[in-house]
Amino acid sequence: MAWTKVGKVVIAQASFIAALMFYLGVIYTSAYYGHFHLSPFLLGFSFAEFALQSLNLLTFPVLVGAVVLLIAVALSGPRSRQALPDALVRGVSLSTSALARRHLLVVAAGTVLLILWWQWQLLLPYRWAGPLLIAFGLLLGVAPGDGADRPTGLRDTAVPIFAAGVLLFWTVTLAAGQLGKQHAEYDGRNVVQRTGLVVFSAERLGLSSRSTDLHFEDLGAAVRLRYRYTGLRLIVARDGRYYAVPIGWQARTDPVYILRESDDVRVELTPGVQ
């Protein structure tokens, strides 16, 4: 019976983690490919691919924050408190109590950051900090204060915790979208480093661009695939389609080319310029 309960808990947690990875992967890939005028749903991404894309969020700052959070949770346990010096435990307890008494200031600071972003588009790289601070302040509000008991009742505990959970969910959503956009903008600026494409076709493809690096060459009537295009870089390849952009591509003005290999079109992949 005990193993059955453990198995149910493990399955429930694994399902939640998989669903969260899928959701974050959707947010990340939508922001990333949206920069290139593409939709991951039209590209046919599967559940597993979306979930794997969420691993792009495991950056160094996120890992450091996760380790700090795990250490804080571990130190809050009774066994850890008994193993630590009394002075350290007392200092941490006093600091937590002081923050808990001033949790409304933390909520107010988060609200100000949220308004600055929402109304005036200020601090855009840190727009996730507003809901994060509000959630942190709400959780501090239900923490035990110095000489006070933990709040009880639906109004004092469940509602703030639920609101903090929603805000934390919003925080990771904003962070995933922002990270996807940042990665796409970096790749767009350094598109020359991506895999190159050399396209041969029997007929003119009509590829045109303001970029001077997109080159067209006629190999002559004696060659069946007589037209040769170079200066292209691969964004993604899906189901025999190659989504490519020219070197020097600009997100606001330039298109993305969709090329499909066939008897009259051959695509060759080359290394990008490092």
Side-chain angles (χ1 to χ4, degrees):
M1 184 65 69
W3 285 107
T4 302
K5 292 182 178 179
V6 172
K8 290 180 178 179
V9 171
V10 171
I11 292 174
Q13 291 180 346
S15 300
F16 172 77
I17 292 174
L20 181 61
M21 289 179 65
F22 170 76
Y23 173 77
L24 294 178
V26 169
I27 298 299
Y28 175 87
T29 54
S30 297
Y32 182 90
Y33 288 107
H35 181 72
F36 296 101
H37 320 311
L38 300 171
S39 168
F41 297 102
L42 295 178
L43 294 174
F45 277 59
S46 64
F47 181 94
E49 288 175 311
F50 277 123
L52 290 175
Q53 287 293 326
S54 68
L55 298 179
N56 288 294
L57 275 65
L58 297 181
T59 59
F60 181 74
V62 172
L63 292 176
V64 171
V67 170
V68 171
L69 179 61
L70 290 175
I71 293 175
V73 172
L75 292 179
S76 64
R79 293 185 179 180
S80 300
R81 287 177 176 271
Q82 293 174 2
L84 294 173
D86 292 339
L88 178 60
V89 173
R90 193 161 43 249
V92 173
S93 178
L94 290 174
S95 300
T96 303
S97 299
L99 282 173
R101 288 195 300 270
R102 295 169 175 82
H103 70 280
L104 291 179
L105 293 178
V106 180
V107 173
T111 304
V112 169
L113 289 178
L114 204 59
I115 293 174
L116 290 176
W117 160 54
W118 198 283
Q119 293 294 328
W120 294 286
Q121 301 295 300
L122 298 177
L123 301 175
L124 287 179
Y126 306 99
R127 53 182 176 269
W128 48 266
L132 179 61
L133 276 179
I134 297 174
F136 183 58
L138 292 175
L139 293 177
L140 284 175
V142 298
D146 188 14
D149 295 331
R150 182 181 294 275
T152 58
L154 179 64
R155 178 181 177 183
D156 296 330
T157 57
V159 173
I161 290 175
F162 175 77
V166 173
L167 288 165
L168 288 175
F169 193 75
W170 188 17
T171 299
V172 296
T173 299
L174 291 174
Q178 178 180 329
L179 198 60
K181 185 177 180 181
Q182 287 178 348
H183 287 174
E185 290 175 346
Y186 175 84
D187 289 344
R189 290 192 301 267
N190 300 277
V191 71
V192 69
Q193 299 178 5
R194 301 183 69 87
T195 300
L197 276 77
V198 179
V199 182
F200 297 88
S201 64
E203 303 291 339
R204 290 178 179 266
L205 298 179
L207 302 184
S208 61
S209 173
R210 295 182 302 174
S211 173
T212 58
D213 294 294
L214 179 59
H215 300 295
F216 164 76
E217 183 180 359
D218 187 349
L219 302 179
V223 181
R224 192 177 73 83
L225 301 179
R226 62 182 293 182
Y227 301 107
R228 182 173 182 262
Y229 295 87
T230 58
L232 295 169
R233 290 296 184 265
L234 180 67
I235 299 301
V236 64
R238 303 287 300 181
D239 299 327
R241 290 183 173 87
Y242 298 85
Y243 299 82
V245 297
I247 298 174
W249 179 81
Q250 299 293 324
R252 294 186 177 182
T253 56
D254 296 339
V256 173
Y257 304 124
I258 304 175
L259 306 169
R260 185 165 188 172
E261 200 164 22
S262 65
D263 293 338
D264 294 328
V265 177
R266 186 175 81 244
V267 178
E268 297 180 355
L269 303 180
T270 63
V273 178
Q274 300 299 323

